[in-house]
Each structure stands twice: as structure tokens, then as C-alpha cells.
Amino acid sequence: MIDAAVEQLLRQDPKSYVIPAEVVANVTATNTLEHALMVLSKVGYTRIPVLAPDDHLQGLLALSDVTDNLLRVPGAAVENLNQILVSDVMRPVTHWVDDPTKLEKILNLLVDEPFLPLVDDQMVFQGIITRREILKRVNYLAHNLNRQYTVTPKMVDTPAN
Ligand code: 2BA
């Protein structure tokens, strides 16, 4: 369990740590890998969500999924990526959140995941929660805890000599 005081400070204004869907780079499952490579190169991110035309979250696409396929073809011709669709290589979404205030779950998952997709109860994509945004909240917490709380060390028994 996260300490209540810590949770209260971390979860102030959850919108501030959600990157909204409108500014998250994405591809659709029916895009070709050539198009996906262009998107990934342009935005500079290594992994982005795959969305359906109706904005349902369908999977994740990593740059390495594209380059693996590129290097499989002799000569590594980018045009060959036209024959492969994002749906052929995308990864399933194994972790996501449907409530940005579930900080215990978010903190635990972000240890291993660089970002978590945020969806509604119909799996419609709402945005992402990144390590960077959560670390910014943790940084805020580290600097502001003693402005709102009195933090005193617990008495510890000292061993008798
Ligand atoms: P990565 O692409 O592996 O990026 C790792 C970290 O490198 C990012 O951490 C960020 O601090 C920095 N970074 C990489 N490319 C960047 C760029 N074009 N502009 C600014 N910073 C960049 P986080 O910000 O914590 O992001 C974690 C992961 O979330 C990223 O991993 C990426 O997979 C995803 N992501 C973040 N913002 C995104 C966005 N607007 N659209 C799509 N995916 C995004």
C-alpha cells in the first residue's frame, strides 16, 4: 500500500500526468510498415500505440518490430515494407489502466514499462501515462512533502551495549 499522504500528493491533478490522445503519436493496424517506419522516425519514439479507426486500442508497435522485418529481406529495401501491415507484427497490449488515479498499479507497472496506455471502459484510447510524467510528480513530492506534512522519524530501539 502506498502511504496515504504520498498518494494524496502524487495524485493531485491526474490530468497533469496524462498525455492526451490528441498528442500521442500512433499508427493503425492497416498501415503498412513503410508508413509506420516513417511515423516512428519522424516522432523519435521507440514504441507507440496501434489504434483502430474508431480509436480502440489494438496493440503496440516498436521500432524494432519494423527494423527486424526490414533486415530480414536481402538488401533491406524499405519498399518491401509495403507488403507487411502493422497488424502482422504488432504486439498485444499486456498492461493498461482505465483510471489515472490508480497510482499503486501505475507505479508498479512503470517499473518495467516506459508508458501505460489509458483507456475507457470500452478500451477506447484516452492517452498515455509515461515514466517521465510520473517521475515529475515524484520529484514534486520529494520537494513538497514537508510543506504539507510534518515528517518525523519513528522512535527506533537502540541495542543495549
Ligand atoms: P521511448 O521512445 O523509448 O523514450 C524514452 C524517453 O526518451 C522518453 O521517456 C523521453 O524522456 C525521451 N524521448 C524519446 N523520444 C523523445 C521525443 N521525440 N521527444 C521528447 N522526449 C523523447 P518518456 O517521456 O517517459 O516516454 C516513455 C515512452 O512513452 C517513450 O519511450 C514512448 O514509447 C512513449 N511516448 C512518450 N510520449 C509519446 C508521444 N507523444 N507519442 C507516442 N509515444 C510516446
Side-chain angles (χ1 to χ4, degrees):
M1 282 278 287
I2 301 182
D3 184 88
V6 169
E7 183 157 17
Q8 194 254 329
L9 273 177
L10 277 180
R11 69 151 57 145
Q12 274 174 12
D13 190 14
K15 277 194 180 151
S16 69
Y17 56 79
V18 175
I19 300 181
E22 310 84 76
V23 293
V24 177
N26 65 80
V27 285
T28 57
T30 51
N31 286 150
T32 65
L33 286 198
E34 187 179 17
H35 176 81
L37 180 60
M38 273 174 14
V39 173
L40 285 162
S41 310
K42 188 156 180 248
V43 297
Y45 292 110
T46 56
R47 202 194 303 183
I48 57 177
V50 180
L51 303 183
D54 62 359
D55 285 345
H56 276 79
L57 179 63
Q58 288 199 307
L60 298 173
L61 182 74
L63 180 60
S64 60
D65 300 329
V66 182
T67 51
D68 278 357
N69 277 279
L70 185 60
L71 298 174
R72 207 167 281 163
V73 184
V78 173
E79 306 86 71
N80 290 324
L81 293 179
N82 255 332
Q83 316 297 318
I84 310 168
L85 298 181
V86 167
S87 55
D88 297 329
V89 304
M90 68 186 185
R91 299 151 188 232
V93 184
T94 49
H95 302 296
W96 67 88
V97 282
D98 56 12
D99 178 353
T101 65
K102 283 185 185 161
L103 278 167
E104 175 124 32
K105 178 176 180 184
I106 292 168
L107 288 174
N108 280 328
L109 289 173
L110 284 180
V111 171
D112 293 315
E113 301 290 330
F115 74 91
L116 296 171
L118 174 69
V119 295
D120 69 8
D121 55 2
Q122 306 290 312
M123 281 306 270
V124 174
F125 184 66
Q126 306 292 308
I128 57 174
I129 298 173
T130 61
R131 259 190 205 152
R132 181 168 189 264
E133 293 307 316
I134 289 295
L135 271 177
K136 278 159 65 178
R137 295 300 306 170
V138 171
N139 192 23
Y140 172 84
L141 167 77
H143 289 91
N144 289 278
L145 186 61
N146 69 359
R147 290 192 188 176
Q148 296 186 33
Y149 292 88
T150 306
V151 184
T152 49
K154 282 188 179 167
M155 295 295 284
V156 283
D157 291 335
T158 46
N161 284 330

